[in-house]
Amino acid sequence: MTSATRKIEPEPGARERLLTAALTLFNEKGYAAASVREIVEAAGVTKPVLYYYFGNKEGIYLELMQNSYGTFESLAARSVSVEASAQERILQFCSDLFDASLERLPEVRLIYAIYFGPPQGAPQFDLEAYFIRMMELIHRLVSAGVASGELRENSVDGARAVIAILTSAINEQLSGRESKLDRDGMVRLLRLLMRGMAK
Amino acid sequence: MTSATRKIEPEPGARERLLTAALTLFNEKGYAAASVREIVEAAGVTKPVLYYYFGNKEGIYLELMQNSYGTFESLAARSVSVEASAQERILQFCSDLFDASLERLPEVRLIYAIYFGPPQGAPQFDLEAYFIRMMELIHRLVSAGVASGELRENSVDGARAVIAILTSAINEQLSGRESKLDRDGMVRLLRLLMRGMAK
């Protein structure tokens, strides 16, 4: 940080406005095409304010990604502590993650665009971590169901099938379709699957 | 087409080389950032050859998209004519589509990048058509199973759950994970689901 940027007094709300503006522009134009100038203009601040909070465009991108992963992680940690049958815990975890994704759809869209799209020069962020963590948690829930005699083996296949329905329901929220699968629909699909997984 | 381009003699293989080069560059750099100059250089031809075959960059993109959809469509039409139980026909259709996707992974990647990513100025191509056609076909197979007493209602939920597992298995091929769900794995997951869908 230069001595010029150190003198800036943080503006109230500027940090949040910058994050929102960057997220919108990364989604509309792509990471590479969105410029610092456009981001600060959309946020109604000057460039040094962005440099003060985030260092550069890479910094604001990484902050967005870390925030999203942080939300996912705290949700994941919470859902697993609920006491209920394995099937109910799986439904609860999937419903919570579905709701959180709907609330943060622009973040989900950016993650998908970076995951499936061209690299665009965006800094490296481990997006596989979402899948790995989801697999870890859902596999634990399915394994508990297998141990208690509620569900049949194989727990890895069961967990993969649950994740397929969960992620498919979330993906669908990014589509332009008029009638999208809602949370109740996802729960019905999961119950259909878990009927097949039941002992 | 100008009189200049009409004079070009088509070069053997140039059309295919252009399509391959464009597909690679669209995936590496994004549609917007990939230039006609880069595409013709990668294909080892001159610009007028691209103009002769495709008109412009939009034309080569639309040709790629139409080819992909054409492959999907002919596969879809074929799979459904097989005579077998509803469950076996569903497994056959999903396996065929999985194999075709694996063989044409760069095309699948481009479709995902355009679907989830920023518009990038790429010409409009109806990517929802894939989902709608898949839903139509799988729903028909599930409905036949319901009618014959092989599967339970509700056939729309059943079809959606099948598509979730199929698309999830295809998505996974685009991931950087070391151990990806293969076709046999997908079939196991579908059998797990169909156990829940069985009457």
Side-chain angles (χ1 to χ4, degrees):
Chain A
M1 213 179 281
T2 67
S3 59
T5 59
R6 267 199 223 103
K7 285 181 211 145
I8 298 164
E9 287 293 308
E11 294 179 34
R15 199 173 177 287
E16 275 308 309
R17 288 205 307 281
L18 279 164
L19 285 168
T20 305
L23 180 56
T24 305
L25 283 159
F26 292 159
N27 275 328
E28 283 174 5
K29 311 190 69 175
Y31 175 81
S35 68
V36 164
R37 186 184 54 73
E38 286 171 305
I39 296 169
V40 297
E41 275 176 16
V45 302
T46 57
K47 279 189 185 178
V49 179
L50 183 145
Y51 301 141
Y52 174 82
Y53 285 114
F54 304 105
N56 50 29
K57 188 168 88 168
E58 298 202 349
I60 199 164
Y61 169 85
L62 286 171
E63 178 80 14
L64 280 170
M65 288 296 183
Q66 279 151 6
N67 284 353
S68 297
Y69 191 78
T71 306
F72 166 75
E73 185 54 52
S74 62
L75 183 81
R78 184 159 51 85
S79 273
V80 170
S81 66
V82 177
E83 285 202 30
S85 71
Q87 297 201 37
E88 288 307 315
R89 288 169 78 192
I90 290 167
L91 290 178
Q92 189 61 52
F93 175 75
C94 292
S95 298
D96 286 352
L97 195 57
F98 181 86
D99 288 347
S101 301
L102 255 186
E103 277 166 25
R104 304 172 84 99
L105 219 45
E107 289 175 44
V108 176
R109 183 174 294 283
L110 180 60
I111 290 168
Y112 276 67
I114 295 288
Y115 191 78
F116 290 114
Q120 293 189 61
Q124 177 61 28
F125 188 83
D126 180 17
L127 296 175
E128 293 294 348
Y130 282 94
F131 179 84
I132 291 164
R133 191 81 176 101
M134 238 185 335
M135 186 67 193
E136 198 177 281
L137 288 166
I138 295 178
H139 182 244
R140 196 185 303 163
L141 295 175
V142 176
S143 296
V146 171
S148 71
E150 190 187 333
L151 302 174
R152 297 187 309 145
E153 285 284 7
N154 141 341
S155 57
V156 172
D157 280 357
R160 276 186 178 272
V162 167
I163 290 176
I165 290 174
L166 166 62
T167 53
S168 188
I170 294 172
N171 296 1
E172 192 157 338
Q173 310 312 310
L174 299 174
S175 79
R177 277 165 234 153
E178 284 193 11
S179 126
K180 297 184 185 82
L181 192 70
D182 60 9
R183 185 174 59 161
D184 289 349
M186 178 189 71
V187 167
R188 283 201 313 277
L189 267 46
L190 286 168
R191 287 195 191 280
L192 201 58
L193 167 68
M194 291 194 295
R195 188 171 180 266
M197 289 164 64
K199 205 151 191 173
Chain B
M1 216 178 282
T2 68
S3 59
T5 59
R6 265 197 224 103
K7 285 179 212 146
I8 300 163
E9 286 294 307
E11 294 178 34
R15 198 173 179 287
E16 275 309 308
R17 288 206 308 279
L18 279 163
L19 285 168
T20 305
L23 180 57
T24 305
L25 284 159
F26 292 160
N27 275 329
E28 281 174 7
K29 312 191 69 176
Y31 175 80
S35 69
V36 165
R37 185 186 53 74
E38 286 170 306
I39 296 169
V40 298
E41 274 175 17
V45 301
T46 57
K47 279 189 186 180
V49 178
L50 183 145
Y51 300 142
Y52 174 82
Y53 285 114
F54 305 106
N56 50 30
K57 188 169 86 168
E58 299 202 350
I60 199 164
Y61 170 85
L62 286 171
E63 179 80 13
L64 281 169
M65 288 298 184
Q66 278 152 8
N67 285 353
S68 298
Y69 191 77
T71 307
F72 166 75
E73 185 54 51
S74 61
L75 182 81
R78 184 158 51 86
S79 274
V80 169
S81 65
V82 177
E83 285 202 32
S85 71
Q87 296 201 39
E88 287 308 315
R89 289 169 77 192
I90 291 167
L91 290 178
Q92 188 61 53
F93 176 74
C94 292
S95 298
D96 286 352
L97 195 57
F98 180 87
D99 287 346
S101 301
L102 255 187
E103 276 166 27
R104 304 171 83 99
L105 220 45
E107 289 175 44
V108 176
R109 183 175 294 282
L110 181 60
I111 291 168
Y112 275 68
I114 295 287
Y115 191 78
F116 290 114
Q120 292 190 63
Q124 176 61 29
F125 189 83
D126 181 18
L127 296 175
E128 292 295 348
Y130 283 93
F131 179 83
I132 290 166
R133 191 80 176 101
M134 237 185 336
M135 187 66 193
E136 199 176 281
L137 288 165
I138 296 178
H139 182 244
R140 197 186 302 163
L141 296 174
V142 176
S143 296
V146 172
S148 71
E150 190 187 334
L151 301 174
R152 297 186 310 143
E153 284 284 10
N154 139 347
S155 57
V156 171
D157 280 357
R160 275 185 177 273
V162 167
I163 290 176
I165 290 174
L166 167 61
T167 53
S168 188
I170 294 173
N171 297 0
E172 192 158 338
Q173 310 311 311
L174 299 174
S175 80
R177 276 166 235 152
E178 282 192 13
S179 127
K180 297 184 184 83
L181 193 69
D182 59 9
R183 185 173 62 160
D184 289 350
M186 178 189 70
V187 167
R188 284 200 314 276
L189 267 46
L190 286 168
R191 287 195 191 279
L192 200 58
L193 167 67
M194 291 194 296
R195 187 171 180 265
M197 288 164 65
K199 207 152 190 173

